[in-house]
Amino acid sequence: MKTLEELKAIREKMQSQVAMRAEDQTQTRVVVGMATCGIASGARAVLTKLADLVQEKGLTDKITVTQTGCIGLCQYEPIVEVLEPGKTKVTYVKMNAEKAEEVMERHLVGGHVVEKYTLASVDLK
C-alpha cells in the first residue's frame, strides 16, 4: 500500500496527463480503471508504467493517459481501455506493467491490437 505522500506524488506527476479540460478529439486516450478493485489488482503500476512510457517516448501530444473509476468488470481488473479517434474501443484485461509495455509498443506505437490481452479473447462463460 502506498503512503498518502506517495499517492500525492503520483497524482502530481500524472496531473499533466489527466484530462481536466475538454478532450482533444485528435488524441488517443488510454483509460485505466482505478476503482478499489482495480487498485487492489495492481492498476496503479499499470497506470504509472503507461504514463512513464508516454513521457519517455515523447508521445504526450498524441496519447493521453487518464484514470477512471469502476468499469464494471471486477474479475478482469486491471483494465485498460484504448480509445483511438475513429476506431472501435479496445479493452485490455488482467493487465500488469509488462503487458502494458507490450501494448504500448505493439498497439499504441505499432498500430496492432494485442488480441491475446483483450476482453474479446476472454471466455465470458
Side-chain angles (χ1 to χ4, degrees), residues 31-38 67-75 77 79 81:
V31 181
V32 180
M34 290 289 287
T36 305
C37 54
Q67 60 188 15
T68 191
C70 182
I71 294 176
L73 299 167
C74 299
Q75 69 270 30
E77 293 286 357
I79 296 174
E81 295 180 328

Side-chain angles (χ1 to χ4, degrees), residues 52-107:
D52 288 348
L53 288 169
V54 167
Q55 289 283 341
E56 290 169 15
K57 295 179 178 300
L59 297 172
T60 56
D61 60 329
K62 296 179 180 147
I63 300 172
T64 302
V65 178
T66 62
Q67 60 188 15
T68 191
C70 182
I71 294 176
L73 299 167
C74 299
Q75 69 270 30
Y76 299 115
E77 293 286 357
I79 296 174
V80 174
E81 295 180 328
V82 176
L83 299 103
E84 297 175 280
K87 295 185 180 179
T88 302
K89 174 178 69 174
V90 176
T91 302
Y92 289 105
V93 296
K94 298 186 178 184
M95 295 297 291
N96 60 37
E98 294 77 27
K99 290 177 181 179
E101 192 164 359
E102 185 177 350
V103 166
M104 175 62 72
E105 291 300 322
R106 292 181 56 202
H107 184 169

Side-chain angles (χ1 to χ4, degrees), residues 23-29 61-64 83-86:
E23 296 173 16
D24 183 347
Q25 297 298 320
T26 63
Q27 283 193 324
T28 294
R29 288 183 48 227
D61 60 329
K62 296 179 180 147
I63 300 172
T64 302
L83 299 103
E84 297 175 280

